Amino acid sequence: MPKALERDLGLPAVLAISIGAMVGSGIFILPALAIKIAGPAVIFAYVLAGVLVVPAALSKAEMATAMPEAGGTYLYIERGMGPLLGTVAGIGTWFALSFKGALALVGGVPYLLLLFDVPPSVTTPVALGLAVLLVLVNVFGAKQTGRLQVIIVIVMLAALVWFVIGGVPAVRQPNYTPFFEGGIGGLLAATGLVFVSYAGVTKVASVAEEVSNPDRNIPLGILGSLAFTTILYALIVTVMIGVTDPTNIAKSATPMAVAAEATLGSAGVGAVILAALLALVSTANAGILSSSRYPFAMARDALVPDSMASVSERFGTPSNSITLTGVVLLILIAFVPILEIAKLASAFQILVFVLVNVAVVAFRNGSTTYEPSFTGPWYPWVQVFGVVSGLVLLTQMGAVPLVGAVVLTVAGVGWFLVYGRNRVDREGAAVDAVRRQVGRNAVDRTRRVINDGGVDYRVLVALDHEVSKAEERPFVRAAAAVARANDGEVVVTRFEQVPDQVSLTYASETESPADVQFETQTGELDDEFDVPVSSGTIVCHDVRHAVVNYADHADADLLLMEDAAPSRGLRGLLFGSDVEWVLRHAPCDVGLLNVGPEGLGDLDIVGVLSDEGPYDPAKIAVADALAVAGGGSITLAYAGRPDASEIEERTLQDYHAEVAALCSVPVESCVPFGDTENAEAFTDADLVVVSAKERTNDAIAAYLTGTDRPVLVVHQQESEVHGRLVRAIERRLF
């Protein structure tokens, strides 16, 4: 029988874990820095920060119950958003925890120095010494027991509660005025600064698989601990400001000790120092331990060098990862001011929490297996609120954290493109979610195109001035099929080009034997197909301009003509082929038919081939009309996806099923096209339909070159630049 974790953590244990992870060095350090920004309104800043953490806390708890074995914000985001943003999240979380560890050391050492008669200038050297000691402890594998952690939390909470209860009687009302000293901007900036104080609330997600009744205990534990900690923080800051002049607090490196001395005397100061030192050791050690796991996890996913995942044979720890984290920690302590450390720690944490919220949306909308035992309430509005509020906070925290977040993001993207892109072939749930949404949008467009037919639908067949009945028949047949599907009509027009020296009036008044023959054969074809067919001849000096102008004059919905070879020589180099010119300037959709050496025979199978992106609606509509007329079926395939992932294949199959539901004939899906059986099945197509913009694709060009089947190129005319831009983006995302 396989081993399994027993779900024995009840609600009290969840509350203890979450509160213990939050209550740390932040409350001993950040109030002084935040008061400089917002004044007494820092009380609201702590409350607001607690509220803004809720979306990410719920989102991470949900993902933890769906992927209890994963463990870690990086892995959730990497699986949800893909390796690119996973790299950004991994680096961001690593830096956020490193900054948090540095903040604990730089901000906690002044409390330690209160016990000794030494100048403040030794703060940085002492912090560096402690950092080296903690790094060595982690490298050598010394473990912090759970019981010791509980004792630390209890002692800290006891000291903090005593501070609040003992300080309330000494609170003075004038200390709170003016309250909104820094305005709304100051309040938001302070909120962003203290945001990192609540980052530990998501710690419970890492033990979600051990929680009994997770549907109830996880949300109650998270929200309960967050509410408790928010109230505790707000009360501490309220007392701190109320018992001491806020200016004195803002100037002090040990704000809680200053406030405790004013109300509780030396005993209170001693309790605060003890709590601060416990928080210093606990937070800094946890920061080194946790942050070192991210390079380790990323190395296992091939996003950073393998050396980051190596485990020391002597100590049994990821020594390289811990050492790298230690180096970063030492650099931060030595060269970055404490205020900037605090801002950057919060900024990176906010950025990661934004990605956590987006990842939940990606999982819920993608086709990846995602079955959480707990689902967050008020989806997706909670996640939207978390994303928007996080981005707003980032913009209000000043230039340094904002630039830091941008630099981090750019660095993560750059690292992935240079190092990781060629080493991983995974894609996140977000990519699949976007692909599915693009597919749904394409299905809606296709539905509108198929249903928009009416009595005014007109197919214009443009032919060369010398065309036989056998050469004309495939074009009229294809045009009649499309017109019949839309209750429309066919207009067959022969374009005769005469020299510029010949008057068009004279040429049009002269009826040639070719004119008579054309009228006769078109009339015979009119009797053959069950749609109205009219014909005529246009005399012109320039065929391509005449075709476009007449299509506009005739109010054509589809222009069908022969697919001619591109012009060669200097003219082709400078101006392209006449066909390409018509495609760019036609006022309607265009179809280019190449009947091939064997002509247009039975249409038992109409193959629709694309390279990437959703199928053009016009292409599906034309293929369906031709298959209906031929009593056949449609086969859908992607030429450029021989190595589609399992998730991608499933999404494409679902998309094909939705397209099939719109068609009037049976539809078969060939995914992946690179599969031998599917490729052979598509080779049986009697007519291949492709898009004009796709026929230059290497995979499609190779297929068209190697087949003698008739080919119909369909070009859907986009009337607006916005439409063309959206379609281009969709093709890259789908």
Side-chain angles (χ1 to χ4, degrees):
M1 179 177 179
K3 295 181 180 180
L5 288 173
E6 182 180 356
R7 291 183 176 271
D8 58 357
L9 295 181
L11 182 58
V14 173
L15 288 168
I17 292 172
S18 190
I19 292 173
M22 276 187 287
V23 177
S25 60
I27 192 61
F28 296 95
I29 305 163
L30 296 182
L33 302 176
I35 287 174
K36 294 179 182 179
I37 300 173
V42 69
I43 300 170
F44 278 3
Y46 271 95
V47 175
L48 182 58
V51 172
L52 298 184
V53 168
V54 171
L58 293 175
S59 295
K60 189 172 179 182
E62 176 178 316
M63 290 187 290
T65 62
M67 298 171 287
E69 76 287 349
T73 302
Y74 151 72
L75 287 175
Y76 300 147
I77 295 176
E78 199 274 345
R79 301 301 184 261
M81 305 296 292
L84 173 59
L85 290 182
T87 302
V88 174
I91 296 176
T93 307
W94 177 48
F95 269 101
L97 291 171
S98 298
F99 273 100
K100 189 176 180 182
L103 179 65
L105 290 169
V106 176
V109 165
Y111 285 91
L112 174 63
L113 298 184
L114 290 176
L115 302 175
F116 306 95
D117 186 17
V118 294
S121 58
V122 303
T123 299
T124 298
V126 172
L128 289 171
L130 288 175
V132 171
L133 177 62
L134 290 174
V135 169
L136 292 176
V137 167
N138 280 274
V139 170
F140 293 154
K143 297 180 180 178
Q144 183 183 46
T145 65
R147 182 173 299 178
L148 177 59
Q149 180 66 18
V150 171
I151 293 174
I152 291 175
V153 172
I154 291 175
V155 172
M156 281 195 299
L157 288 179
L160 295 176
V161 171
W162 183 31
F163 174 85
V164 171
I165 295 175
V168 168
V171 167
R172 293 176 295 176
Q173 182 66 30
N175 287 357
Y176 299 109
T177 56
F179 192 78
F180 286 101
E181 186 177 323
I184 297 298
L187 173 63
L188 293 178
T191 301
L193 178 66
V194 303
F195 190 89
V196 73
S197 302
Y198 297 96
V201 70
T202 61
K203 177 68 175 178
V204 70
S206 63
V207 294
E209 71 274 24
E210 302 175 45
V211 177
S212 62
N213 193 11
D215 296 4
R216 170 182 176 272
N217 290 337
I218 287 180
L220 286 180
I222 287 177
L223 296 178
S225 62
L226 187 57
F228 172 83
T229 306
T230 301
I231 293 172
L232 178 63
Y233 281 169
L235 290 174
I236 290 173
V237 178
T238 300
V239 170
M240 193 182 301
I241 296 174
V243 301
T244 312
D245 186 347
T247 303
N248 293 334
I249 296 177
K251 293 178 180 179
S252 175
T254 56
M256 281 200 67
V258 172
E261 185 177 14
T263 57
L264 303 177
S266 58
V269 173
V272 167
I273 292 175
L274 176 62
L277 295 180
L278 291 175
L280 179 155
V281 175
S282 176
T283 304
N285 184 64
I288 295 172
L289 178 63
S290 300
S291 60
S292 64
R293 291 175 179 172
Y294 287 89
F296 182 80
M298 293 174 69
R300 290 184 302 179
D301 285 343
L303 293 176
V304 297
D306 294 340
S307 58
M308 290 295 102
S310 63
V311 177
S312 170
E313 295 182 1
R314 181 178 180 183
F315 305 115
T317 59
S319 55
N320 290 338
S321 181
I322 294 174
T323 302
L324 177 62
T325 301
V327 170
V328 172
L329 188 66
L330 294 173
I331 293 174
L332 294 177
I333 293 173
F335 300 107
V336 182
I338 185 172
L339 178 60
E340 305 306 333
I341 291 177
K343 286 183 177 181
L344 288 167
S346 281
F348 292 162
Q349 192 63 64
I350 292 170
L351 179 63
V352 170
F353 277 8
V354 167
L355 293 177
V356 165
N357 285 308
V358 177
V360 167
V361 178
F363 276 120
R364 289 216 193 180
N365 287 276
S367 62
T368 305
T369 301
Y370 182 69
E371 299 175 351
S373 59
F374 159 69
T375 53
W378 306 304
Y379 171 88
W381 304 114
V382 168
Q383 285 69 31
V384 171
F385 174 72
V387 171
V388 173
S389 61
L391 295 177
V392 170
L393 282 185
L394 281 176
T395 63
Q396 299 300 310
M397 293 178 65
V400 171
L402 185 59
V403 171
V406 172
V407 169
L408 174 72
T409 302
V410 172
V413 171
W415 176 264
F416 175 78
L417 295 177
V418 172
Y419 182 86
R421 180 173 57 178
N422 296 326
R423 290 176 169 82
V424 297
D425 57 0
R426 299 182 303 275
E427 63 178 23
V431 176
D432 188 61
V434 171
R435 185 185 297 121
R436 285 183 172 271
Q437 184 58 51
V438 169
R440 286 191 288 267
N441 294 341
V443 169
D444 290 339
R445 289 197 303 270
T446 304
R447 181 182 294 108
R448 290 194 297 269
V449 170
I450 291 178
N451 295 335
D452 277 351
V455 294
D456 294 331
Y457 193 92
R458 183 169 295 147
V459 181
L460 172 62
V461 179
L463 299 174
D464 187 71
H465 72 286
E466 292 184 1
V467 58
S468 66
K469 180 180 178 180
E471 294 170 331
E472 180 183 357
R473 187 179 185 280
F475 292 89
V476 178
R477 176 186 172 189
V482 177
R484 186 183 301 109
N486 294 281
D487 296 326
E489 62 176 329
V490 176
V491 177
V492 184
T493 304
R494 186 171 66 97
F495 290 85
E496 181 180 354
Q497 181 170 314
V498 298
D500 293 342
Q501 294 84 356
V502 178
S503 168
L504 293 180
T505 302
Y506 171 79
S508 62
E509 292 176 350
T510 304
E511 187 175 47
S512 66
D515 296 335
V516 176
Q517 175 60 32
F518 175 69
E519 293 289 343
T520 301
Q521 66 191 37
T522 304
E524 294 171 354
L525 292 173
D526 183 13
D527 297 334
E528 183 177 347
F529 300 106
D530 188 23
V531 293
V533 179
S534 59
S535 63
T537 299
I538 300 293
V539 179
C540 59
H541 291 312
D542 187 335
V543 170
R544 64 181 186 180
H545 281 87
V547 169
V548 169
N549 291 337
Y550 188 69
D552 188 31
H553 172 75
D555 196 21
D557 297 283
L558 174 66
L559 169 62
L560 184 63
M561 54 190 292
E562 184 179 8
D563 188 8
S567 299
R568 300 184 182 278
L570 182 60
R571 173 181 170 81
L573 179 64
L574 295 178
F575 305 106
S577 70
D578 289 340
V579 167
E580 297 298 329
W581 189 91
V582 171
L583 289 177
R584 292 194 302 269
H585 295 86
C588 59
D589 296 341
V590 180
L592 306 175
L593 180 61
N594 186 341
V595 297
E598 298 182 2
L600 189 63
D602 295 334
L603 297 181
D604 296 327
I605 300 177
V606 177
V608 181
L609 186 61
S610 289
D611 57 348
E612 60 183 11
Y615 299 107
D616 288 341
K619 184 164 62 175
I620 295 295
V622 169
D624 184 53
L626 293 171
V628 169
S633 63
I634 294 175
T635 298
L636 302 176
Y638 279 99
R641 299 190 177 182
D643 55 350
S645 65
E646 182 178 345
I647 294 176
E648 187 177 3
E649 287 182 24
R650 186 161 58 247
T651 300
L652 292 176
Q653 292 283 12
D654 292 344
Y655 167 62
H656 284 176
E658 294 184 53
V659 172
L662 302 177
C663 297
S664 305
V665 297
V667 177
E668 181 181 355
S669 176
C670 286
V671 175
F673 184 69
D675 182 86
T676 302
E677 183 178 347
N678 285 336
E680 291 177 353
F682 192 82
T683 305
D684 294 334
D686 301 298
L687 172 69
V688 179
V689 182
V690 300
S691 296
K693 56 181 170 290
E694 295 172 336
R695 58 178 175 168
T696 56
N697 173 272
D698 292 340
I700 289 183
Y703 176 82
L704 296 181
T705 302
T707 184
D708 56 0
R709 304 289 181 179
V711 176
L712 177 61
V713 178
V714 177
H715 175 69
Q716 183 169 1
Q717 194 65 264
E718 299 286 355
S719 58
E720 299 179 1
V721 174
H722 172 73
R724 291 195 295 271
L725 179 61
V726 170
R727 295 292 301 283
I729 295 174
E730 285 183 345
R731 284 172 57 81
R732 301 306 303 171
L733 295 177
F734 190 78

